[in-house]
Amino acid sequence: MARIAFILLCHKDPKGIIAQARRLTGSGDYVSIHFDARAKAADFDAIRTALADNPGVTFAARRIKCGWGEWSLVAATLEAVRAAVAAFPAATHFYMLSGDCMPIKSARYAHDFLDAEDLDYIESFDFFESDWIKTGFKEERLIYRFWFNERTQKSLFYGSYEIQKRLGLTRKIPADIQVMIGSQWWCLRRQTVENVLAFCDSRRDVMRFFATSWIPDETFFQTIVPHVVPRREIRTRTLTFLMFTDYGMPVTFHNDHYDLLLGQDYLFARKISAEAITLRERLGALWKADEAEFPISNEAAGLYRFLTQRGRIGRRFGQRFWEAEGSLGRDRTLLMIVCKKWHVAKRLTAAIRWHTDIPAVNYLFNEIEAELPDMGGIETTVEKRERHRRALVRMLFDQFESRRVAICLDPSALGLVQDFIEDKAVTRVLLIESDFDDDYVRGHIARVGLAGQHSVPERVNRLIPAVRSDLEHEIERIRDLGVGEFQTISHRNGTERNADALQRFLDVPPDLAMTLAQTDYLFDD
């Protein structure tokens, strides 16, 4: 019977980690924990103390300070894998998990599933031929060297990149390696893991190459596994269920998603909200249950999720009583960039930050990473930002010491846009028009749960007109607000018209507006 060694990468919530380790080892499986060295020492001590007498738990021999997009994430994974291989000789499979993953099947079902076929499960798509990377750097991830963190050392990150680019300091990919890409959440057999570790020990050139590539957790194991295992023994998929919004952000699951999650053809799910106590309790109990049959069908639940989410969006930004009298300030100008395709708006804000002195943040009411300065805690959760939105934006003006600030907003946040328009400050809106072709709408349908990977194409195609109409209606509602200072840019308008709109929106010189309008790949998907 399969016995799983879970590779648990985590950096917070010690109580949740302890509970998860006890739950997983209670089924006869194992857990190897890497706890980020950046986290609190007291939290790590609490985890070690609580699990000290559990023979099914081991810890990475070396804790590493992890950063998004860095080699450190792969290094931490390898540390936990080596610890698991040494500590658990009876483990047949090694399964990558994060601290916010939960089982959505029973342990019995998971063991039977892995016993049914002698396979590895890892997303592994050709780096250059696939469309896995939608925006931003692609080939650049590999041919240039990255020593700095893109989020915390932005000037060094992009400065070193520009120097290498100007001087032509590119490098070659190891000749015998076909670089692949995919999700970092995999499940591998023991022999595969041992082969990967042996490869790491023998091919220091490949290790050095990936150590300075960008976001290697999406390419390292995805490349090495097909190199050491016959492709017929690999299923190019993950066993961990996760959905993304249109904007590349993971969907968080809550208490009312239990039935939806059980109907997915996966063993675990990510991300489960830390506040979804009931859901966590039910899923924890499910892992211990003796159930072996789970009907797999997600269309109905996905449609329900989509409809209820639409209802929540309309209420989310309703004005709070404590903000009714608040104001951003009459002498300030709020520049609102409204765009459904987040990656397009982010390219524009990046160009604004680079070429002008106008502070520009991203989707601050939708995602944690939004180019925000340190603001004393109000910026740490999206929920806080929504509750205190005017206070938050007032603080942005103060923190940046500027009378102009640009922010990004989604068209679905109609009430939020309207709220700011009614403020005493000067408000301008720039609408970035988007085309919603069939491929984009199909992706939207999948991401919001209206259809799953097993849905028949005919069913998905029937949904396309209705969903496209809904997306277009969001845009029309923004237009109907009747904003006085309202500009539009689009790939159809041409560079000169776009530059003219940007000049009026940002109040910048014509040549600078033209530079912004000529931003590389601005409207590309």
Side-chain angles (χ1 to χ4, degrees):
M1 183 184 81
R3 298 188 70 180
I4 309 168
F6 292 99
I7 309 302
L8 182 57
L9 263 59
C10 44
H11 65 281
K12 60 182 180 179
D13 188 19
K15 291 183 179 178
I17 294 167
I18 293 166
Q20 188 177 44
R22 287 173 174 165
R23 178 189 312 118
L24 297 175
T25 56
S27 59
D29 296 303
Y30 311 102
V31 175
S32 179
I33 298 173
H34 178 277
F35 195 71
D36 195 333
R38 295 184 189 274
K40 296 178 181 178
D43 287 347
F44 181 61
D45 292 340
I47 296 170
R48 291 209 69 141
T49 300
L51 299 175
D53 60 350
N54 190 327
V57 175
T58 192
F59 292 86
R62 182 168 62 104
R63 291 174 62 205
I64 295 170
K65 292 182 179 179
C66 297
W68 184 86
E70 295 180 3
W71 170 254
S72 55
L73 288 174
V74 178
T77 303
L78 289 171
E79 288 290 332
V81 167
R82 290 185 186 277
V85 169
F88 309 127
T92 61
H93 294 76
F94 296 76
Y95 194 126
M96 268 283 294
L97 284 180
S98 71
D100 53 13
C101 293
M102 289 289 291
I104 57 174
K105 299 291 186 294
S106 65
R108 177 183 172 187
Y109 181 96
H111 294 153
D112 290 346
F113 182 95
L114 295 176
D115 281 334
E117 295 186 275
D118 188 23
L119 297 170
D120 296 306
Y121 296 89
I122 182 170
E123 286 189 347
S124 183
F125 305 101
D126 187 277
F127 184 91
F128 296 100
E129 298 299 326
S130 72
D131 62 348
W132 208 86
I133 298 175
K134 301 296 184 184
T135 63
F137 288 169
K138 187 168 184 176
E139 182 185 27
E140 293 89 344
R141 290 192 187 190
L142 306 178
I143 64 173
Y144 295 108
R145 296 168 178 83
F146 297 90
W147 299 281
F148 306 102
N149 186 283
E150 193 268 345
R151 294 186 175 179
T152 61
Q153 301 169 297
K154 195 173 293 289
S155 59
L156 291 173
F157 179 92
Y158 288 104
S160 64
Y161 162 72
E162 290 294 340
I163 291 172
Q164 293 178 78
K165 186 177 177 181
R166 269 193 223 106
L167 297 178
L169 299 178
T170 59
R171 60 176 177 175
K172 292 183 178 179
I173 298 169
D176 61 335
I177 292 295
Q178 179 184 6
V179 179
M180 311 295 281
I181 192 168
S183 166
Q184 72 180 104
W185 311 110
W186 42 254
C187 178
L188 305 175
R189 297 166 296 172
R190 184 180 194 89
Q191 183 178 357
T192 300
V193 166
E194 291 174 344
N195 288 344
V196 168
L197 294 178
F199 181 93
C200 293
D201 293 336
S202 63
R203 292 296 303 273
R204 307 312 299 177
D205 60 323
V206 175
M207 299 293 281
R208 286 192 297 271
F209 172 79
F210 279 106
T212 51
S213 65
W214 192 40
I215 320 181
D217 54 302
E218 293 180 352
T219 54
F220 180 76
F221 289 96
Q222 298 78 356
T223 298
I224 306 308
V225 170
H227 194 77
V228 299
V229 173
R231 292 185 181 271
R232 65 179 179 275
E233 297 179 15
I234 299 173
R235 288 291 179 269
T236 307
R237 58 160 295 188
T238 175
L239 297 181
T240 297
F241 176 60
L242 63 161
M243 292 196 303
F244 288 91
T245 66
D246 281 353
Y247 331 115
M249 296 297 294
V251 172
T252 300
F253 298 106
H254 299 279
N255 288 334
D256 56 350
H257 290 135
Y258 180 79
D259 292 328
L260 165 67
L261 293 174
L262 265 61
Q264 307 304 317
D265 187 21
Y266 297 86
L267 304 183
F268 283 76
R270 182 180 186 272
K271 299 179 161 204
I272 308 300
S273 171
E275 298 176 358
I277 305 302
T278 301
L279 178 61
R280 286 178 170 270
E281 290 175 349
R282 296 180 73 184
L283 293 177
L286 176 67
W287 179 255
K288 302 174 184 177
D290 196 39
E291 294 184 50
E293 298 292 333
F294 291 84
I296 306 298
S297 175
N298 64 12
E299 282 89 349
L303 179 59
Y304 174 78
R305 173 188 177 278
F306 177 75
L307 294 175
T308 53
Q309 185 186 59
R310 301 301 299 166
R312 290 170 185 159
I313 287 173
R315 296 191 298 269
R316 176 175 297 173
F317 297 110
Q319 190 178 59
R320 275 69 172 179
F321 70 89
W322 62 80
E323 296 204 352
E325 298 303 321
S327 174
L328 306 181
R330 293 182 184 275
D331 59 344
R332 291 171 168 175
T333 300
L334 180 63
L335 306 168
M336 291 181 278
I337 300 170
V338 180
C339 184
K340 189 64 179 178
K341 295 183 177 180
W342 288 19
H343 55 275
V344 176
K346 288 180 179 180
R347 289 197 194 108
L348 179 59
T349 56
I352 291 171
R353 290 190 296 270
W354 185 265
H355 294 289
T356 79
D357 60 356
I358 301 172
V361 301
N362 296 333
Y363 288 83
L364 71 167
F365 296 105
N366 299 88
E367 58 180 355
I368 291 294
E369 298 293 337
E371 299 291 338
L372 292 176
D374 183 0
M375 299 171 66
I378 194 174
E379 83 287 0
T380 55
T381 69
V382 170
E383 289 77 11
K384 283 185 179 180
R385 299 176 195 172
E386 292 175 7
R387 283 200 303 271
H388 309 289
R389 56 187 180 275
R390 287 198 184 184
L392 173 64
V393 176
R394 282 199 302 271
M395 290 177 66
L396 283 178
F397 282 101
D398 293 335
Q399 289 291 102
F400 286 123
E401 298 182 346
S402 173
R403 296 189 181 279
R404 290 186 295 172
V405 170
I407 65 173
C408 294
L409 298 170
D410 187 90
S412 65
L414 178 71
L416 182 57
V417 177
Q418 196 165 21
D419 187 25
F420 284 124
I421 290 171
E422 294 171 356
D423 191 86
K424 296 175 183 178
V426 176
T427 53
R428 300 174 187 168
V429 173
L430 175 71
L431 175 65
I432 304 179
E433 292 186 332
S434 302
D435 288 336
F436 305 121
D437 60 24
D438 285 359
D439 286 340
Y440 177 86
V441 178
R442 287 192 187 95
H444 181 77
I445 288 170
R447 287 185 287 270
V448 300
L450 279 170
Q453 64 180 29
H454 301 299
S455 300
V456 294
E458 292 77 12
R459 182 184 183 282
V460 176
N461 290 337
R462 286 197 300 271
L463 292 171
I464 287 177
V467 174
R468 179 186 289 114
S469 176
D470 187 78
L471 295 174
E472 291 172 348
H473 180 60
E474 288 182 352
I475 304 300
E476 289 306 310
R477 291 191 303 168
I478 297 294
R479 293 182 180 277
D480 291 342
L481 288 175
V483 183
E485 298 193 47
F486 183 93
Q487 307 297 331
T488 301
I489 63 172
S490 165
H491 69 91
R492 294 185 296 273
N493 289 354
T495 304
E496 290 187 2
R497 284 182 60 190
N498 287 338
D500 185 56
L502 287 168
Q503 181 185 354
R504 291 195 296 270
F505 174 68
L506 296 171
D507 193 19
V508 295
D511 58 338
L512 185 51
M514 179 61 70
T515 298
L516 295 173
Q518 293 173 335
T519 299
D520 290 342
Y521 315 111
L522 178 58
F523 298 101
D524 287 1
D525 284 337

